[in-house]
Every structure is written in structure tokens, then in C-alpha cells.
Amino acid sequence: MQHDRCFIPGCKRLTAPLMDKDFALFHCRYHVQHKARHGSHWQKTYKAADLKPYIKAAEKWGDANLRDRHYSVAWRQIDHVLAGAGLVDPAMNLRGQSADYKAKVAFARLREAGVLHRRIVHIYLGVAALIEDDFGSHRTQEFRIVQAAKAIHRLASGTHRKWDVWNPRTGGTFPYELHAYPSSSGHVLRKIGRVLEDACSDLLRSAVPEIVALKVKLYGEHPSHMPPPERGGITPDSVRL
Ligand SMILES: [Zn+2]
């Protein structure tokens, strides 16, 4: 049975027409699209700055656990994906290509940009650790898949070119740069994320708690662990005084 109103608290919009059986029964079009883009109906995409300390902690964890069996299986599998991703033609037009093909090109771009297999594993683990550590996060596999794919896709998406352009006024040239980032669709992100999940998910249970602990030791607690700001009432400190 379809419900009339979106299930997200505070959202009073009508539910979307039944275009997608999984989502649209309970949510409005806005929140359905939010999920397609971010991997969650309500949780926004993490910023690079939020992820950074977790990725650093994952790197340190990786350096200290080179002989971990799941870890080496993970980066070897990612290496295999990178090697098998084919060539990158900078002039290629991805429009009209399948999501599988676009995901493959995304991995080929990472390889051409010199992104190493272990870095990809560290980013995936960093994303998983942040989601685990953020008390307010949406702890679903779907959110992890999309967030990990986004963080990795950011590393090498788009074509960057530089020209020297003639300036008729001065007779000289000036440098002109173009950075084109094709926006990654929800389907492509999920394809990328599933490849990461296939390679690395066996690592989660053992690595994530250790990475979170390492992050807290190096950079402190996540803001969601802090007590809410006092509202002028009696606090433990004022009682002690
Ligand atoms: Zn809604």
C-alpha cells in the first residue's frame, strides 16, 4: 500500500509516484532523489575535511598491518580491478554508455592518475570508520557504498586540460585551464561502491574498530560524541563548584 506523505520526520510532501518500488512507497520525490545522490534519504555527503583524519588513521593502520590476510586480499583485488579497467581516452564521450562501462572508466582514470590500490582501500576504510564513529550517521551498507564511491571518484574524475591562449590585446599568451567533472550518477556510484565493497568488506569487522580508536588517539573524538551545549541549567561542573 502506498502512503500519502513522506516518512522523513518534518517532511510533509506527498510520496513520489510508484516509479521505484523500493523507495517511493514511503518517500517524496525530493528524498528519493537525495538517496540516489547521497546513498541515504537524509544524511548528506561527507566533506573531504570530515574524512581526512579517518583516512589518515586508516593509512597508519594499513602500514602496521601489511601482513593482515584480509588487508592484502583487499588491495590485491583492487589492483586487479585497476589493471583490468582498460584504457582512458580523454576525448571519449561517456554519454549513453552503460553504468558498468562508466564505472570501469572511473577505475581506469584512477590508475592513470597514479592512485594506488592501497590508497583506495584506505579511503574505503576511512569512510566506513567515519560512518561508524559518527553517532548521527546513517549506518547502512547503501550509505557506505555511495559515500566510499564518491570519495574515490573525487580523486580522479574529469578531464583536466591546459592551453596557452593568445591574447590579441597584448600579443602574448595566457594560460587557460579547464577542469571538467562529469557528475557521477547514482547508478555509476553504486557500481563503483560495490566493487570496493566486494574487495574490502571482509576487512571491516577487524579493521574499523582499530581505525576508529587510532583516529581518536591522534585527532580526538568525533563532534557527535560531545555533550550537547549547556542551556544555563545545572551542569556537573557547576555542581562541583
Ligand atoms: Zn520527503
Side-chain angles (χ1 to χ4, degrees):
M1 189 191 93
Q2 178 158 26
H3 297 262
D4 289 346
R5 302 280 167 183
C6 178
F7 266 32
I8 298 294
C11 179
K12 302 211 164 48
R13 297 180 187 93
L14 294 169
T15 48
L18 279 172
M19 48 185 183
D20 186 326
K21 277 184 192 157
D22 288 338
F23 306 139
L25 273 175
F26 306 111
H27 297 94
C28 68
R29 191 182 289 274
Y30 170 82
H31 282 114
V32 168
Q33 282 173 354
H34 193 281
K35 178 158 180 170
R37 254 183 241 135
H38 303 274
S40 160
H41 283 117
W42 46 269
Q43 176 78 51
K44 285 211 171 73
T45 289
Y46 284 118
K47 294 193 186 93
D50 299 328
L51 279 167
K52 207 173 165 188
Y54 291 88
I55 295 171
K56 290 241 174 220
E59 274 166 18
K60 286 199 190 295
W61 183 90
D63 290 345
N65 288 278
L66 282 170
R67 286 165 185 278
D68 182 283
R69 194 168 59 86
H70 290 309
Y71 179 59
S72 59
V73 166
W75 66 254
R76 277 174 223 275
Q77 197 167 325
I78 294 292
D79 194 30
H80 185 73
V81 170
L82 292 172
L87 295 172
V88 181
D89 173 1
M92 77 176 76
N93 187 353
L94 290 176
R95 216 170 291 163
Q97 298 283 2
S98 70
D100 275 322
Y101 182 80
K102 288 177 184 171
K104 224 173 168 189
V105 169
F107 280 106
R109 277 188 176 137
L110 288 166
R111 189 196 59 226
E112 298 301 306
V115 178
L116 299 177
H117 38 65
R118 282 183 60 212
R119 175 142 182 81
I120 292 174
V121 175
H122 298 154
I123 291 170
Y124 170 86
L125 289 173
V127 168
L130 170 54
I131 292 171
E132 181 63 26
D133 199 29
D134 178 358
F135 286 0
S137 190
H138 199 176
R139 293 178 188 165
T140 60
Q141 186 194 37
E142 171 88 358
F143 187 54
R144 183 173 69 232
I145 282 178
V146 173
Q147 290 298 305
K150 283 197 148 187
I152 279 155
H153 197 56
R154 272 202 289 255
L155 294 174
S157 56
T159 302
H160 306 275
R161 283 190 217 156
K162 225 172 171 176
W163 294 274
D164 282 326
V165 178
W166 181 61
N167 183 339
R169 250 188 250 160
T170 63
T173 60
F174 63 94
Y176 180 78
E177 292 181 30
L178 175 75
H179 301 283
Y181 288 96
S183 63
S184 38
S185 80
H187 279 309
V188 178
L189 288 173
R190 280 162 179 80
K191 295 276 179 197
I192 296 170
R194 282 206 189 97
V195 171
L196 303 170
E197 192 84 358
D198 274 355
C200 312
S201 63
D202 284 347
L203 250 181
L204 290 174
R205 197 180 297 179
S206 57
V208 164
E210 295 181 15
I211 291 168
V212 169
L214 205 55
K215 185 267 169 189
V216 171
K217 201 173 129 198
L218 295 169
Y219 307 103
E221 299 238 13
H222 189 271
S224 66
H225 298 212
M226 305 299 170
E230 56 178 290
R231 297 190 186 88
I234 296 172
T235 62
D237 280 340
S238 61
V239 170
R240 222 173 290 139
L241 292 168

